[in-house]
Amino acid sequence: MSELNEILKSTGLRVTETRQVILERFREKTAAISQSDMENELGDDIDRVTVYRTLKTFVEKGIIHKILDDKGGVKYALCKEECHPGHHHHDHLHFKCSVCQETTCLENHLIPEISLPEGYQKEEVNILVQGICPNCK
């Protein structure tokens, strides 16, 4: 737990049991997870509002990042590289398997630089590739 505590402290967050439990869940996962999946895993131990607020705080502090799903939903994954509060730099692809429905970060496959017309300002780029993962092939 000391590594989890260090992650929380380094981002200026107070160490709480709830934050530790949720952060530990992310460290156990190889795929992204939705808020409702997290709630289901935690059962009645942590209420919905607390899960929502914790996820929101973790995104704001650069601990996890959001991944837009093909169905309009949001999933979350642990930031592998060091992100800063309010500034994520996840210029990698995300892959959703059409068989198992898992969404994973493809850290070594970077999104190419996108040039926008004058007057446009990029805030975030999301690319979701869909297909069949190696486990389901």
Side-chain angles (χ1 to χ4, degrees), residues 95-124:
F95 185 91
K96 181 174 181 186
C97 179
S98 57
V99 177
C100 66
Q101 300 297 306
E102 285 194 349
T103 301
T104 54
C105 296
L106 300 179
E107 302 283 343
N108 296 325
H109 292 77
L110 302 180
I111 297 172
E113 184 61 37
I114 296 173
S115 176
L116 296 173
E118 189 175 325
Y120 290 87
Q121 181 178 341
K122 175 179 79 170
E123 291 182 355
E124 173 176 351

Side-chain angles (χ1 to χ4, degrees), residues 30-114:
T30 57
I33 184 170
S34 69
Q35 178 182 336
S36 61
D37 289 339
M38 179 67 75
E39 290 168 3
N40 290 337
E41 279 191 25
L42 298 170
D44 294 332
D45 294 340
I46 303 172
D47 67 89
R48 281 183 57 173
V49 173
T50 302
V51 172
Y52 169 79
R53 287 182 181 155
T54 302
L55 294 177
K56 185 174 187 259
T57 299
F58 282 4
V59 168
E60 290 169 356
K61 294 293 186 174
I63 297 172
I64 61 174
H65 65 282
K66 293 193 287 186
I67 301 166
L68 299 179
D69 195 299
D70 62 320
K71 294 185 168 71
V74 175
K75 291 188 177 184
Y76 301 90
L78 196 61
C79 293
K80 299 289 192 242
E81 61 262 359
E82 188 175 322
C83 291
H84 303 287
H87 179 69
H88 291 274
H89 44 84
H90 294 279
D91 296 333
H92 59 262
L93 298 176
H94 295 102
F95 185 91
K96 181 174 181 186
C97 179
S98 57
V99 177
C100 66
Q101 300 297 306
E102 285 194 349
T103 301
T104 54
C105 296
L106 300 179
E107 302 283 343
N108 296 325
H109 292 77
L110 302 180
I111 297 172
E113 184 61 37
I114 296 173

Side-chain angles (χ1 to χ4, degrees), residues 6-33:
E6 281 304 311
I7 292 171
L8 295 170
K9 287 178 184 177
S10 72
T11 58
L13 291 175
R14 204 167 40 89
V15 176
T16 66
E17 186 178 344
T18 297
R19 288 177 177 159
Q20 289 174 319
V21 168
I22 291 175
L23 189 52
E24 180 62 33
R25 286 292 201 287
F26 277 108
R27 291 184 43 98
E28 295 169 353
K29 300 286 178 200
T30 57
I33 184 170

